[in-house]
Amino acid sequence: MPRLYSPEQAAELLVGRRKALGLSQAEVAARLGISQNRLSELETRPERLTFDRLLALAGVLGLELTLGDRKPAEVERE
């Protein structure tokens, strides 16, 4: 499972997963109860994703979020 260190990495993962599943922005947006334009904005400006929206989007895409301890080398990178 990929590790994420920035909102941009999260967007790449989420967009890639959506496309791999063959889902359009409109289909995913409808499942989330938002407009296609809003989903497009969230994909291009992922820093605007709220935590609850991120969880919902991950769920629609069959993903889950996991938090864990970083290895010391990963902490030093930032």
Side-chain angles (χ1 to χ4, degrees):
M1 184 55 72
R3 295 177 186 263
L4 302 176
Y5 298 99
S6 71
E8 294 75 23
Q9 288 176 311
E12 288 176 20
L13 176 71
L14 295 168
V15 170
R17 177 68 172 200
R18 177 178 60 75
K19 289 180 178 181
L21 293 172
L23 297 171
S24 69
Q25 285 182 337
E27 291 170 315
V28 172
R31 293 179 191 184
L32 292 171
I34 62 175
S35 70
Q36 181 273 322
N37 286 340
R38 178 70 177 132
L39 180 61
S40 176
E41 179 184 354
L42 294 174
E43 287 184 352
T44 58
R45 306 225 26 216
E47 69 277 4
R48 294 186 174 197
L49 269 169
T50 60
F51 189 68
D52 61 328
R53 182 71 70 202
L54 176 59
L55 288 172
L57 181 53
V60 166
L61 298 175
L63 299 170
E64 64 180 16
L65 298 177
T66 303
L67 298 176
D69 293 331
R70 287 187 183 179
K71 297 176 186 172
E74 293 172 338
V75 172
E76 291 174 13
R77 259 199 288 171
E78 299 201 14

